[in-house]
Amino acid sequence: MPAQPKATLEKLLELLGFPATVTEQQLDDGIMLDVKTDDSGRLIGRQGQTLSDLQYIANRLLFQQDQSAPKVTVDVAGYRSQAREALVKKAKDAAEKVRRWGDIVELEPMSAFDRRVVHQALKDDPDIETQSVEVEGTEKKAMLLRLKH
């Protein structure tokens, strides 16, 4: 049976006690499930952690149903899209500093998802290269931006 991302997430939210409506949108690299609920703050969590956990669980459930299921991105009240836009702007501002001063710029430690957003935002920049580096005492990695040689 093929996985049903929207129905799976709706059931998961119902079982967690969150009355919500879910809309599904096709993306190039998977599916975006946007959740509308009166309690969006609790569902997003501190720095989006609860939202990330919800997305992880949804993807695990879908993969168990169908190993060829597309990757699902879960968003609540546009949080991810706003955070993504802010992250892309931060990355481009940092790239401009690197271009102007020639220094290496280090962005704060971030999740793999966020590092991928930064890398994607700068991948076509002819002057800038990105690199993830370990940060001691955390499982997150920071991004370094530097001039390409």
Side-chain angles (χ1 to χ4, degrees):
M1 181 177 110
Q4 299 181 335
K6 182 177 183 285
T8 299
L9 183 59
E10 286 171 336
K11 184 67 176 171
L12 180 58
L13 290 167
E14 178 190 322
L15 291 169
L16 290 170
F18 284 94
T21 56
V22 178
T23 55
E24 185 174 299
Q25 175 187 348
Q26 291 294 324
L27 299 175
D28 293 341
D29 58 348
I31 293 174
M32 167 69 81
L33 295 175
D34 194 23
V35 178
K36 302 273 188 271
T37 179
D38 292 338
D39 206 359
S40 56
R42 275 187 51 221
L43 211 48
I44 293 168
R46 185 165 168 221
Q47 294 183 322
Q49 188 58 53
T50 306
L51 178 55
S52 293
D53 294 343
L54 180 65
Q55 178 174 300
Y56 175 79
I57 292 167
N59 276 299
R60 293 297 305 148
L61 288 169
L62 291 165
F63 183 76
Q64 282 183 338
Q65 291 173 25
D66 176 4
Q67 293 189 355
S68 65
K71 182 139 175 47
V72 167
T73 302
V74 178
D75 198 359
V76 174
Y79 174 84
R80 275 206 200 280
S81 51
Q82 288 173 351
R84 180 185 200 115
E85 284 172 27
L87 194 53
V88 167
K89 181 182 183 329
K90 181 186 281 189
K92 291 189 175 186
D93 290 349
E96 201 48 50
K97 282 182 189 164
V98 171
R99 213 181 327 278
R100 184 173 302 135
W101 306 111
D103 294 336
I104 293 173
V105 172
E106 181 177 336
L107 299 178
E108 76 278 358
M110 57 184 85
S111 67
F113 181 87
D114 288 345
R115 288 195 315 275
R116 185 167 179 258
V117 169
V118 170
H119 181 72
Q120 291 294 108
L122 298 175
K123 77 176 192 302
D124 295 327
D125 190 312
D127 303 323
I128 305 297
E129 68 180 12
T130 59
Q131 178 187 359
S132 295
V133 293
E134 299 277 333
V135 177
E136 255 186 72
T138 175
E139 55 202 52
K140 293 183 176 183
K141 294 181 180 177
M143 295 272 315
L144 296 181
L145 280 60
R146 64 167 63 95
L147 288 172
K148 284 184 181 169
H149 297 294

